[in-house]
Amino acid sequence: MARERWSSKLGVILAVAGSAVGLGNFLRFPIQAARNGGGAFMIPYFISFLLLGVPLMWIEWTIGRFGGGFEHSTAPGIFQTLWRKSRFIKYFGVIGIFGPLVIFVFYTYVESWLLGYSVFAVTGKYAGCTDSQSMLEFLRGYKGLEVNEHFSNLSAGYLFFLATFAVNVGVIAFGLSRGIERFCKWALPLLLIMAVVLVIRVLTLGTPDPAHPDWNILNGLGYLWNPDWSALKSGKVWLAAAGQIFFTLSCGIGVILTYASYLTKRDDVALSGLTAAATNEMIEVVLGASLIIPAAFAFFGTVGVQDMAAQGWDLPFVTMPLILQNIAFGRIFGFLWFFLLFVAGVTSSISLALPAVAFLEDEFNLTRREAVAVFAVVAFILCQPVIFFVADGVLDEMDFWGGTVGLVVFGTVEAILFAWVFGMERSWSELHVGSDIRIPRFYRLIIRYVTPTFLLVILGVWLWQEWWPIILMKTVPPEQKPFVVMTRVGLLGLFAFLALMVHIVWKRRSLLPQVDEETPA
Amino acid sequence: MRLSGWIFMLVSWTVILGLFGYCMARTLGFGRGPSGPQEPSDDEGP
């Protein structure tokens, strides 16, 4: 079976950028910046971008393309090609299938809320909600957590979930160039247009409430950008900046590896990786930062913005609809806001689905349609606990293990593999094969010493400061503990099952006549 | 917004938009760098 390929260079860049651009660009970044020193946050943020983000991008693109040369599209096989003597490295690679699958399961559900709300914005279904409390009640009714004047059960939410799931599976089923690439080629420009329209609207809000002349857009921008120099002395701020860069670029998930594995040996990775990173940063720093914080400040002042930051996944569904329904053509702008986030979500979730699908194709010789069918059944079943136990901590637990722990561990492993196991000489040479730009030589030192150290420090400090209380469930309410334990058992079972599949594949392969794995296909 | 806020915002936007513009221009083929594409190295396989 001929291996699928990207049909254009721009297509793969937009697909990788689409994978990186998600809810975090519009929600997580502005809140992190506002909480951690405003404009001063940009200093550690840019340093992290150069020392952590860009090197990790190059690492993932390079080893993905290298592994693809051996017909491997996912981390177990790719890691094994980088370190042939190791019997265990392929099991670390399981994180690169497990993480995206777990994130896909809860992310698709959150994505379906955005689709639902984009319809509600146009139809005016939440128009009667005029404060945060009533907007939260609307959201709880939509999630099926309470019966209220807006919703009597979960049926509307479930229908939007089915539609969202079908969109994702449909795009993947069409394949790499006819599905993912074609979708991202129109989705990213559309997302950009919608974001620009919204930013222009927000920046022209002026002073919406004459009773509070201080609550205006300029002060809203000031809330985000005025530098607090004392923040630079705090290690927490530097870690927050590093964490934001890590998460926003989709590094450490395993999806960039898979996308890059469909490149040919002569395709550029150096410029493409940098372009995908720059596209994500442009959307995050220029557009993402100009939306929710300045708008919320103009309508609710400093206290309102601080309350908003505590809303977590509920944030886009409470504050922005309240703001947008108070301006002219609010229904249209409300639709643009939710549909913008929905499109950003889909470009990310289709990339999250691909590693599992590619694993089934490559290692079990299934056709794309067969692999997508198996994936759809498994993912659909896994989504059900998230939907029906959303208030019991299941979603947050999956986010923590799949979307936080998995990323940092995986990123650390691949950085060490690239620089120390595969070797800096070979890695540097591989990075420049077919390259359209020459990377400055000091990046050899950064990739070899600074990036792995940076990642190990993040891993260590987070484990000490944040992960340990979470792992011991110190922050979990007592009534949620049984659900959290069950989720952990389920995730452990899923990881063990994937590791067993990898074991079976390699066992079976060792029994077959040896194929030449010394040179790329 | 204070002057320092304006400076941080505009410098950040300039850096990001500059990098994005440069990368896109190179990707779309407006002007090639001196190095050009390299041939694969002899050491292709592990």
Side-chain angles (χ1 to χ4, degrees):
Chain A
M1 197 164 25
R3 189 171 174 77
E4 279 191 285
R5 298 287 180 202
W6 298 100
S7 67
S8 70
K9 187 175 175 181
L10 188 62
V12 61
I13 290 170
L14 290 180
V16 173
S19 167
V21 174
L23 306 189
N25 295 62
F26 297 96
L27 304 173
R28 194 176 190 274
F29 169 74
I31 288 172
Q32 287 290 322
R35 270 184 187 170
N36 293 292
F41 179 77
M42 297 314 292
I43 293 173
Y45 180 83
F46 278 128
I47 291 173
S48 302
F49 177 67
L50 294 173
L51 300 184
L52 188 67
V54 173
L56 272 172
M57 268 291 194
W58 282 329
I59 289 171
E60 293 210 0
W61 278 75
T62 307
I63 63 178
R65 183 186 61 177
F66 182 78
F70 297 94
E71 310 275 310
H72 292 297
S73 301
T74 48
I78 293 172
F79 282 8
Q80 193 68 70
T81 60
L82 292 171
W83 193 5
R84 292 191 179 284
K85 289 179 183 168
S86 171
R87 291 173 59 197
F88 300 104
I89 195 64
K90 56 183 175 286
Y91 298 110
F92 274 102
V94 172
I95 303 171
I97 304 170
F98 169 83
L101 177 59
V102 171
I103 301 171
F104 176 88
V105 164
F106 72 80
Y107 202 80
T108 313
Y109 184 45
V110 177
E111 212 173 280
S112 72
W113 305 351
L114 295 161
L115 180 63
Y117 270 65
S118 58
V119 174
F120 300 152
V122 175
T123 57
K125 190 167 171 63
Y126 58 65
C129 305
T130 52
D131 56 33
S132 296
Q133 194 53 42
S134 56
M135 205 52 100
L136 269 172
E137 280 171 17
F138 185 92
L139 181 60
R140 287 181 62 78
Y142 175 77
K143 290 182 196 171
L145 301 176
E146 65 182 38
V147 176
N148 54 36
E149 59 184 299
H150 308 291
F151 299 98
S152 57
N153 53 47
L154 183 62
S155 58
Y158 206 84
L159 280 175
F160 282 115
F161 163 71
L162 289 176
T164 305
F165 194 84
V167 168
N168 278 280
V169 171
V171 172
I172 305 279
F174 271 103
L176 196 71
S177 63
R178 287 200 312 130
I180 295 172
E181 186 174 347
R182 191 181 288 178
F183 181 80
C184 290
K185 268 184 172 172
W186 71 258
L188 257 284
L190 175 70
L191 184 149
L192 266 176
I193 292 167
M194 289 192 291
V196 168
V197 170
L198 277 167
V199 166
I200 291 171
R201 185 65 198 97
V202 166
L203 295 183
T204 52
L205 279 173
T207 309
D209 184 357
H212 296 93
D214 288 346
W215 295 3
N216 58 53
I217 282 297
L218 279 186
N219 283 344
L221 286 170
Y223 185 85
L224 186 70
W225 288 104
N226 286 340
D228 169 14
W229 298 109
S230 65
L232 292 180
K233 293 177 194 161
S234 163
K236 203 174 153 217
V237 171
W238 286 80
L239 278 171
Q244 178 59 27
I245 281 295
F246 195 85
F247 294 121
T248 189
L249 291 174
S250 276
C251 294
I253 302 181
V255 298
I256 298 174
L257 291 186
T258 303
Y259 272 179
S261 75
Y262 296 106
L263 294 168
T264 67
K265 179 78 178 169
R266 287 172 189 277
D267 283 333
D268 157 84
V269 292
L271 178 60
S272 300
L274 190 61
T275 308
T279 306
N280 177 74
E281 290 308 298
M282 190 269 293
I283 292 174
E284 177 158 297
V285 176
V286 179
L287 300 175
S290 305
L291 280 172
I292 197 158
I293 294 267
F297 190 95
F299 277 90
F300 308 119
T302 310
V303 176
V305 175
Q306 285 166 348
D307 288 348
M308 190 185 78
Q311 288 171 7
W313 288 106
D314 294 344
L315 170 64
F317 305 97
V318 177
T319 306
M320 276 306 266
L322 283 175
I323 293 168
L324 294 171
Q325 66 184 354
N326 281 319
I327 61 176
F329 305 108
R331 288 187 179 190
I332 294 170
F333 287 111
F335 169 78
L336 281 180
W337 166 250
F338 286 115
F339 201 65
L340 158 79
L341 293 181
F342 175 70
V343 171
V346 175
T347 56
S348 300
S349 56
I350 53 176
S351 73
L352 293 166
L354 194 60
V357 172
F359 178 70
L360 293 169
E361 280 185 289
D362 290 349
E363 316 299 356
F364 289 91
N365 294 324
L366 299 188
T367 63
R368 167 55 60 105
R369 294 286 164 95
E370 289 167 345
V372 171
V374 172
F375 169 81
V377 170
V378 173
F380 187 79
I381 293 168
L382 292 175
C383 283
Q384 303 314 306
V386 179
I387 297 170
F388 290 101
F389 301 109
V390 69
D392 300 306
V394 174
L395 193 154
D396 291 333
E397 196 62 16
M398 293 177 96
D399 186 16
F400 175 72
W401 292 102
T404 307
V405 177
L407 263 66
V408 184
V409 172
F410 188 82
T412 308
V413 169
E414 65 185 359
I416 292 170
L417 265 180
F418 184 82
W420 292 92
V421 176
F422 193 59
M424 206 57 231
E425 277 303 322
R426 284 166 69 191
S427 295
W428 191 254
S429 162
E430 185 64 32
L431 171 57
H432 280 89
V433 171
S435 171
D436 286 342
I437 55 169
R438 188 88 208 152
I439 298 169
R441 284 190 72 81
F442 62 81
Y443 260 104
R444 282 172 67 111
L445 295 175
I446 290 174
I447 291 173
R448 186 162 196 192
Y449 297 105
V450 181
T451 307
T453 309
F454 211 148
L455 282 162
L456 285 169
V457 169
I458 291 175
L459 195 63
V461 174
W462 278 353
L463 188 64
W464 180 255
Q465 285 184 345
E466 293 183 31
W467 292 2
W468 210 233
I470 296 174
I471 288 167
L472 298 178
M473 293 195 290
K474 286 184 176 170
T475 54
V476 178
E479 68 276 12
Q480 287 186 2
K481 284 190 178 174
F483 295 96
V484 169
V485 170
M486 285 304 292
T487 308
R488 288 183 184 183
V489 171
L491 291 175
L492 195 62
L494 177 65
F495 189 90
F497 177 71
L498 290 170
L500 181 66
M501 285 175 79
V502 168
H503 178 77
I504 291 168
V505 167
W506 259 261
K507 187 91 177 167
R508 200 176 58 177
R509 188 171 290 161
S510 69
L511 298 175
L512 292 171
Q514 288 299 302
V515 290
D516 179 18
E517 283 238 334
E518 289 301 307
T519 49
Chain B
M1 180 149 75
R2 296 198 302 265
L3 177 64
S4 54
W6 279 109
I7 291 170
F8 266 99
M9 188 178 89
L10 294 176
V11 169
S12 300
W13 284 22
T14 306
V15 169
I16 292 292
L17 288 172
L19 180 65
F20 174 71
Y22 166 78
C23 290
M24 272 298 169
R26 291 294 302 265
T27 299
L28 298 174
F30 303 119
R32 290 268 164 212
S35 62
Q38 291 194 350
E39 290 301 310
S41 61
D42 293 336
D43 182 23
E44 285 186 334

